[in-house]
């Protein structure tokens, strides 16, 4: 499911490279891809939570924290399995989603890709670069979870657009983006996801919930401080 959502985001990022030059059909397809991606967000979050614990277990070997992470990982894995069962019950074999994807894929192929000119994708990349810079500055300034999430989304889209241009053997002169920063932004967002699961409806027991919240808050603050510092040095 994680790979499916990643492919949907890549398709939307590629569509954005063409913009209005691809015609009104592109906006309709983009809207449906966005809706489908959001529809899968619950499954993605369940999977991302397990992956977050896997990553934390690889990087934290301390005897005082590993039992907590292992217990939480087992709870998260059980939640992921339950989410998958529910999704299959509501849409057996994801048949409805597969049918929609076939229609959208046909629509994507029918768009006037041959009409795109270099100035179209260059303008799109320039706009993406500007948005990344703006959202990054806003996130560092405000510290807002929403702003940090926006920074991550903008940076990820820029990276996906550059990957699409590279695959098409275009954009050799397009500016490069630090892929490690995108990875760190993603890790920070996953820690924020962990915090979201430490509320009243948390799948974790009350003692573990409080301990996980303290741990995730400390890790998230450290990660954001590192990312913010890297961003400021890159701008100097």
């Amino acid at each position: 499911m994680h790979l499916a959502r990643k492919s949907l985001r890549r398709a939307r990022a590629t569509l954005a490279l063409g913009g209005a030059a691809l015609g009104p059909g592109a906006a309709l397809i983009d809207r449906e891809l966005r809706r489908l991606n959001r529809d899968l967000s619950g499954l993605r979050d369940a999977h991302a939570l397990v992956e977050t614990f896997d990553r934390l277990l690889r990087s934290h070997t301390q005897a005082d924290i590993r039992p907590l992470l292992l217990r939480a990982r087992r709870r998260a894995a059980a939640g992921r399995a339950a989410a998958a069962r529910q999704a299959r019950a509501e849409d057996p074999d994801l048949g409805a989603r597969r049918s929609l994807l076939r229609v959208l894929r046909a629509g994507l192929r029918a768009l006037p890709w041959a009409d795109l000119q270099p100035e179209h994708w260059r303008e799109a990349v320039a706009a993406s670069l500007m948005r990344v810079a703006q959202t990054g500055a806003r996130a560092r300034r405000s510290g807002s979870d929403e702003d940090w999430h926006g920074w991550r989304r903008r940076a990820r889209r820029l990276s996906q657009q550059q990957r699409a241009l590279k695959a098409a053997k275009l954009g050799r002169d397009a500016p490069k983006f630090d892929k490690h920063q995108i990875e760190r932004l993603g890790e920070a967002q996953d820690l924020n996801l962990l915090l979201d699961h430490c509320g009243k409806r948390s799948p974790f027991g009350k003692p573990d919930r409080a301990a996980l919240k303290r741990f995730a808050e400390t890790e998230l603050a450290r990660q954001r401080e590192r990312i913010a510092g890297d961003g400021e040095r890159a701008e100097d």
Side-chain angles (χ1 to χ4, degrees), residues 17 115-124 165 170:
L17 284 171
D115 294 344
L116 291 184
Q117 300 299 317
E119 59 265 24
H120 294 136
W121 63 259
R122 287 189 177 121
E123 289 175 4
L165 288 170
L170 298 170

Side-chain angles (χ1 to χ4, degrees), residues 63-99:
D64 60 332
I65 195 64
R66 285 188 67 82
L68 170 66
L69 295 177
L70 286 167
R71 286 195 303 274
R73 202 267 183 202
R74 286 193 291 271
R75 287 287 187 99
R80 179 177 62 180
R85 286 194 298 271
Q86 182 177 349
R88 286 195 294 269
E90 294 172 351
D91 183 9
D93 295 323
L94 302 181
R97 295 178 176 93
R98 291 176 189 271
S99 296

Side-chain angles (χ1 to χ4, degrees), residues 2 9 44-45 48-49 51-53 55-56 148-156 177-194 219-220 223-224 227:
H2 174 64
R9 287 194 298 267
R44 182 271 170 192
D45 287 350
L49 188 60
E51 287 192 329
T52 296
F53 284 118
R55 178 175 56 78
L56 291 171
W148 274 87
H149 186 39
W151 186 11
R152 192 257 179 124
R153 285 199 310 269
R154 294 297 189 186
R156 181 176 59 198
F177 190 80
D178 183 2
K179 65 178 182 179
H180 298 297
Q181 186 184 65
I182 298 174
E183 292 172 358
R184 290 191 288 270
L185 284 166
E187 291 171 359
Q189 181 60 28
D190 286 341
L191 285 166
N192 206 58
L193 175 67
L194 173 54
E219 287 295 305
L220 181 59
Q223 187 80 318
R224 286 183 174 177
I227 295 168

Side-chain angles (χ1 to χ4, degrees), residues 197-216:
H197 283 78
C198 291
K200 291 182 179 180
R201 296 185 178 182
S202 171
F204 312 118
K206 190 173 182 180
D208 283 354
R209 187 190 318 162
L212 282 169
K213 184 178 180 181
R214 289 192 300 270
F215 171 78

Side-chain angles (χ1 to χ4, degrees), residues 15 17 26 45 53 72 87 101 106 112 125 129 139 146 159 163 172 178 195 206 214 230 233:
L15 276 171
L17 284 171
D45 287 350
F53 284 118
L101 279 173
V125 170
L129 277 168
E146 184 176 350
S159 174
R163 188 177 293 113
R172 290 188 180 88
D178 183 2
L195 282 171
K206 190 173 182 180
R214 289 192 300 270
D230 289 345
R233 283 190 292 273

